[in-house]
Amino acid sequence: MNPNTFEYSESFAREMDAKDKLAHFRTRFHFPKVEGKEAIYFCGNSLGLQPKSVKDYLGKELSNWADLAVDGHFHGEDAWYHIRKKSKPALAEILGAQEHEVVAMNNLSVNLHLLMVSFYRPTKERYKIIVEAGAFPSDQYMLETQIKFHGLNPENVLLELSPRTGEHTLRTEDILAEIRIHGDSLAMVNMSGIQYYTGQLFDLKAITAAAHEVGAMAGFDLAHAAGNAVLKLHDWEVDFATWCSYKYLNSGPGNVSGIFVHERYAERPDLPRFAGWWGHDEGERFRMEKGFVPMHGADGWQLANSNVLALAAHQASLDIFQEAGMENLRAKSERLTAYLEFLIEHISGNSGVLEIITPKNPAERGCQLSLLIHRGGKAVFDEFYKHGVVGDWRNPNVIRLAPTPLYNSYLDVFRFATILEQSLEKFA
Ligand SMILES: *Cc1c(COP(=O)(O)O)cnc(C)c1O
């Protein structure tokens, strides 16, 4: 991506859109209005837009419920009893997994806890956990309370990595060095895939390899990575991961999460877990007998029967992902975000109002750019919003903008730039 090939002009943006093979996907989504006008929606990192097809997918299950009632559990191809299987091919592609390594279930914070039950097994010698400083609050509370659950003191267990002085993001070499320093006492690396505040994409492959070298586990919260970065969880030998479906995966507010458990644990009934009947051997489930026998793979971590309405909305979006293809989406994403970066740097230059803190290297970020606001604070964000830009503000002083390749256009990015230019006059 050579920024010299970008231009700050509407005709250039329109030309890029005309050449974009994914441009037509935009028409498959509902866009909200701000002040009566269609928004420039850069908030897919928080809540993805609604695919227009969601209504039909939900309608079909509502009809099945009305017409079949309890028989819907075993009726036809899409019988609810097996409905979880439907999302597996798309999830496997998005996460870079085998189908049996993934399953949609619960919500993200719940899954973080369930996975820790199985994979965080502290001993007297090996108990430490590496996490990035300033992790998402749910992850912080999960780690704190999991550690206490084992009777340990978080202060002795948690190693929170901060960027070097004067830097905003972590260097991979420093993460790997920390892993090696703690070696035999390290139980686990438990980080996000993409850091929600800075937008930094971590090198999951290198981190996992380093963790394994010292005999530790590697697990990731992929809330901001799923559907955004190209992931190869199976090949990278990541131990476990979880994500949510309402950010880049466009499946609706609070919708279902998913988990990844690597193949090497597919037949490990000895791993401790908090079980429920839906993780129990499917063929035997209705015998209603004592003695938990986990299903093969990730399915063995399910507790409860599938939320069919939630999965219907999820599927509407997953089918679009399959049609578009993760590699195609990522190729566009790198260009679209680079264009946004180019325009922000071109316009804000040395105004001193803001600074992009997300790494410049496309391999170290997804589509989100985080702008650290030096002057004007939240008023800068409010000014954007007044002109129809939906991004989000994160305390203490960051605006996150996420042009998503599925429904954002180069013209969106250009229009944002004109608004940025006007806004800066107020704060410069
Ligand atoms: C969005 C997000 C969550 C949200 O958790 P829920 O259980 O879905 O409410 C958790 N962790 C990270 C890193 C997130 O970005």
Side-chain angles (χ1 to χ4, degrees), residues 107-110 112 136 138-139 192 194 196 221 223-224 244 246-247:
N107 281 68
L108 198 170
S109 303
V110 176
L112 283 171
F136 193 85
S138 218
D139 300 69
S192 53
I194 291 185
Y196 82 98
D221 178 338
H224 286 264
C244 57
Y246 51 84
K247 291 173 179 166

Side-chain angles (χ1 to χ4, degrees), residues 110-418:
V110 176
N111 287 338
L112 283 171
H113 278 290
L114 292 175
L115 291 165
M116 286 294 278
V117 165
S118 297
F119 295 105
Y120 182 54
R121 309 297 303 155
T123 64
K124 232 175 150 41
E125 295 75 32
R126 195 185 277 284
Y127 55 91
K128 293 179 189 165
I129 302 175
I130 286 182
V131 62
E132 82 271 19
F136 193 85
S138 218
D139 300 69
Q140 294 194 38
Y141 306 147
M142 176 280 287
L143 289 170
E144 175 191 335
T145 57
Q146 281 284 337
I147 292 164
K148 287 181 177 166
F149 175 74
H150 287 282
L152 302 171
N153 180 350
E155 281 182 24
N156 305 328
V157 172
L158 270 187
L159 304 161
E160 299 184 280
L161 304 191
S162 296
R164 294 186 187 186
T165 311
E167 299 185 8
H168 296 292
T169 52
L170 289 165
R171 296 190 192 194
T172 302
E173 67 204 82
D174 291 351
I175 301 172
L176 304 186
E178 189 78 4
I179 292 171
R180 285 170 197 136
I181 287 168
H182 295 279
D184 292 346
S185 63
L186 187 69
M188 172 182 288
V189 178
N190 193 320
M191 296 174 66
S192 53
I194 291 185
Q195 223 286 332
Y196 82 98
Y197 191 75
T198 64
Q200 179 177 19
L201 168 59
F202 295 118
D203 187 340
L204 306 193
K205 183 181 178 187
I207 292 170
T208 302
H212 288 175
E213 254 168 55
V214 301
M217 295 271 179
F220 299 96
D221 178 338
L222 303 176
H224 286 264
N228 182 13
V230 171
L231 300 167
K232 303 267 177 227
L233 300 187
H234 176 84
D235 292 348
W236 298 341
E237 307 205 333
V238 165
D239 294 289
F240 66 92
T242 179
W243 56 90
C244 57
S245 67
Y246 51 84
K247 291 173 179 166
Y248 294 103
L249 295 178
N250 310 319
S251 303
N255 204 346
V256 68
S257 163
I259 64 162
F260 165 90
V261 178
H262 196 273
E263 180 165 49
R264 79 179 77 87
Y265 307 110
E267 288 296 338
R268 286 286 307 274
D270 57 304
L271 278 181
R273 47 190 120 186
F274 289 166
W277 73 320
W278 229 252
H280 183 81
D281 176 9
E282 197 165 31
E284 308 265 299
R285 193 177 285 149
F286 279 98
R287 291 200 183 170
M288 311 302 217
E289 282 172 358
K290 266 189 196 301
F292 176 67
V293 180
M295 287 175 72
H296 183 80
D299 289 346
W301 270 265
Q302 297 177 101
L303 270 70
N305 75 101
S306 305
N307 185 331
V308 173
L309 298 180
L311 285 178
H314 192 26
Q315 197 63 43
S317 175
L318 292 178
D319 285 349
I320 297 175
F321 268 88
Q322 287 239 283
E323 215 183 308
M326 236 3 260
E327 303 276 349
N328 298 332
L329 286 166
R330 175 63 187 179
K332 173 177 173 186
S333 180
E334 289 188 14
R335 276 194 298 277
L336 195 62
T337 294
Y339 188 44
L340 177 63
E341 178 182 51
F342 163 80
L343 291 179
I344 291 171
E345 285 177 348
H346 179 76
I347 292 162
S348 72
N350 38 26
S351 70
V353 175
L354 54 85
E355 169 192 7
I356 298 174
I357 58 169
T358 306
K360 265 198 116 26
N361 177 2
E364 290 178 60
R365 69 187 185 196
C367 69
Q368 171 191 324
L369 293 181
S370 297
L371 316 187
L372 184 64
I373 306 302
H374 291 300
R375 229 178 16 253
K378 186 160 180 288
V380 178
F381 172 76
D382 295 340
E383 186 67 20
F384 289 172
Y385 188 81
K386 219 168 65 191
H387 290 93
V389 178
V390 182
D392 68 8
W393 173 261
R394 280 289 166 269
N395 284 324
N397 47 9
V398 154
I399 293 173
R400 302 186 300 179
L401 300 173
T404 70
L406 202 45
Y407 50 73
N408 284 119
S409 62
Y410 291 88
L411 193 60
D412 283 338
V413 171
F414 170 79
R415 287 194 171 131
F416 165 74
T418 63

